Amino acid sequence: MVWITVLLVAFCLIAMIFPLLPSNSWLFNIFTYPRIQIICIQMVTVVIVFATYGAEKWTIIFAVLMLTNVLLIFRIIKPYTRLGKKELLDLDDTVETKTTLSLLIWNVYQFNQQYQPFIQLVKEKNPDLLLLCETNEWWTNQLQEIRDRYPYHQEVPLENTYGMCLYSRHPCNDVQVKSLVGEDVPSIRATITLEGQHQIAVFGIHPIPPYPAYSTSKAPKDAELLLIAQEVSAAKHPCIVFGDMNDVAWSNLTTAFQKISRLLDPRRGRGIMPTFHAKIPLMRIPIDQIFCSSDFRLIDIKRMPAMGSDHFPIFVTLALTTKASITQTLDMSHPNQQDQQLAEERIAEGLALA
């Protein structure tokens, strides 16, 4: 019991200190992901310490440190719980709907071969737009029925877990596949035309995760997301960015991404909705995300059932409206020169490591 207590105390202290250190190493940043789990572990550890050692001076100091950290972490994640303020407003009678757009996002997990449940889900939900990550040649061979239903598509099958496919029932123009950070790590952008007149710029992304098997630094991931943010900031049409972002909604990087892109997060104020790891309930975190410009209102966002992958699919329905940009704004300041300079430095660092 003593050793278990020592290990728990050490873990809690590391989880508190490491995220505060100015490092891009995966080791120091990994603790920013499981914020909810860390809160639970720290609370349980405080109880164990007091039950084992009583109210000693060091146990009281430890409890104060942990409870303070719990409050700080909860402040970070609160906006993404139902206690937070909604950033993307619900569709209501105060705005006029131009058109609607439904999207299905899923990281299929390259080695998962359960494609039939996905095809059935597509038939049931009938989304306008599909984005699939980790699609290899085997997966694209199984998706003929999807191609038949979605005449506009861009498939990039790869065997390195970074394959990507975009399927649309609406016409797509200016379709581009770019590898912004590193070779064979594609992102897809396209302009979707709805009802022959409404154009929407969409960006499908799946950056490199900050994990030793892929990258020992978070810099390449940060660089790709910030490069996409810069593209969005220069776009002339309403924008949507979606995919497996390998980053949690409450990270400093996501804040920088939103500040530069001016995109809204529909998850804020509606629940955390963790999407990974589908097979390990106690380790779930929200890394599959969607962001959209203030031209939209939210009709619905739901996590779909697991289908063999380590990620859950997400189904989102948006309304393109006439007054949405007037009635809702991003609850943070516009990027200043210092923000832009910091973004450029982080992009340069990520490109150097790619």
Side-chain angles (χ1 to χ4, degrees):
M1 186 64 182
V2 173
W3 281 108
I4 294 176
T5 305
V6 170
L7 290 173
L8 284 172
V9 169
F11 174 84
C12 290
L13 291 173
I14 289 172
M16 180 182 70
I17 296 170
F18 274 24
L20 302 177
L21 301 177
S23 172
N24 282 329
S25 169
W26 73 273
L27 182 60
F28 293 97
N29 288 276
I30 197 69
F31 295 101
T32 64
Y33 285 72
R35 293 292 199 183
I36 299 172
Q37 290 87 344
I38 287 173
I39 284 179
C40 295
I41 292 172
Q42 289 179 336
M43 294 293 289
V44 169
T45 302
V46 169
V47 172
I48 291 175
V49 166
F50 270 94
T52 305
Y53 299 99
E56 301 288 340
K57 183 178 180 179
W58 77 269
T59 61
I60 294 174
I61 294 173
F62 174 75
V64 170
L65 285 173
M66 291 302 99
L67 294 177
T68 300
N69 194 50
V70 164
L71 291 175
L72 291 175
I73 292 177
F74 181 73
R75 184 181 178 184
I76 292 172
I77 66 174
K78 178 185 174 182
Y80 305 92
T81 69
R82 295 187 182 276
L83 299 175
K85 176 184 176 183
K86 291 179 180 178
E87 191 171 80
L88 181 67
L89 301 181
D90 294 314
L91 181 64
D92 56 34
D93 295 334
T94 64
V95 293
E96 179 184 350
T97 301
K98 293 180 180 179
T99 187
T100 62
L101 180 69
S102 56
L103 309 94
L104 184 60
I105 313 161
W106 189 35
N107 181 322
V108 305
Y109 180 57
Q110 180 174 302
F111 307 102
N112 169 34
Q113 296 191 344
Q114 298 182 36
Y115 67 93
Q116 297 92 343
F118 170 71
I119 292 177
Q120 184 60 36
L121 179 64
V122 172
K123 291 179 179 178
E124 292 175 2
K125 292 296 184 180
N126 196 31
D128 296 298
L129 200 62
L130 305 175
L131 180 72
L132 303 180
C133 300
E134 290 200 25
T135 47
N136 60 0
E137 195 72 40
W138 184 91
W139 264 95
T140 56
N141 289 338
Q142 314 310 314
L143 296 177
Q144 182 59 52
E145 191 170 353
I146 298 296
R147 285 191 290 274
D148 293 340
R149 298 173 67 91
Y150 292 87
Y152 308 96
H153 51 264
Q154 178 67 56
E155 296 176 328
V156 189
L158 295 172
E159 301 299 330
N160 63 353
T161 73
Y162 292 109
M164 183 176 292
C165 294
L166 180 70
Y167 300 92
S168 173
R169 66 172 67 262
H170 301 285
C172 293
N173 301 312
D174 302 323
V175 181
Q176 300 178 57
V177 178
K178 295 183 179 180
S179 293
L180 298 177
V181 180
E183 296 181 2
D184 295 329
V185 183
S187 57
I188 300 177
R189 64 269 295 131
T191 302
I192 310 297
T193 303
L194 305 178
E195 299 180 359
Q197 55 180 325
H198 306 298
Q199 292 188 314
I200 297 172
V202 298
F203 299 78
I205 61 176
H206 181 205
I208 301 171
Y211 186 71
Y214 302 96
S215 174
T216 58
S217 171
K218 72 183 185 71
K221 168 186 65 66
D222 290 3
E224 179 160 359
L225 290 173
L226 290 171
L227 285 168
I228 292 289
Q230 290 179 345
E231 282 192 56
V232 170
S233 67
K236 299 179 181 179
H237 304 298
C239 291
I240 296 172
V241 177
F242 59 155
D244 173 6
M245 299 191 183
N246 278 316
D247 198 27
V248 284
W250 48 73
S251 73
N252 291 334
L253 184 277
T254 298
T255 299
F257 170 84
Q258 285 193 262
K259 199 171 183 180
I260 293 172
S261 67
R262 309 307 298 170
L263 296 183
L264 305 176
D265 184 351
R267 193 176 315 212
R268 280 196 177 215
R270 295 185 172 91
I272 290 175
M273 203 180 304
T275 57
F276 173 89
H277 195 292
K279 298 179 181 180
I280 309 177
L282 293 179
M283 291 301 297
R284 288 177 182 169
I285 53 178
I287 62 173
D288 300 273
Q289 301 184 57
I290 175 172
F291 296 91
C292 63
S293 57
S294 58
D295 308 272
F296 296 92
R297 288 287 187 97
L298 182 71
I299 297 176
D300 194 22
I301 179 169
K302 288 182 179 178
R303 188 183 73 180
M304 297 290 102
M307 294 180 290
S309 171
D310 50 0
H311 290 250
F312 290 96
I314 295 182
F315 183 72
V316 185
T317 307
L318 300 170
L320 182 64
T321 64
T322 55
K323 298 181 180 179
S325 59
I326 299 174
T327 56
Q328 61 186 349
T329 57
L330 190 63
D331 190 19
M332 62 180 70
S333 61
H334 285 270
N336 54 33
Q337 185 175 359
Q338 185 177 0
D339 296 323
Q340 297 289 0
Q341 182 178 353
L342 181 60
E344 292 296 340
E345 291 175 356
R346 296 171 78 175
I347 289 171
E349 185 173 356
L351 292 176
L353 292 174

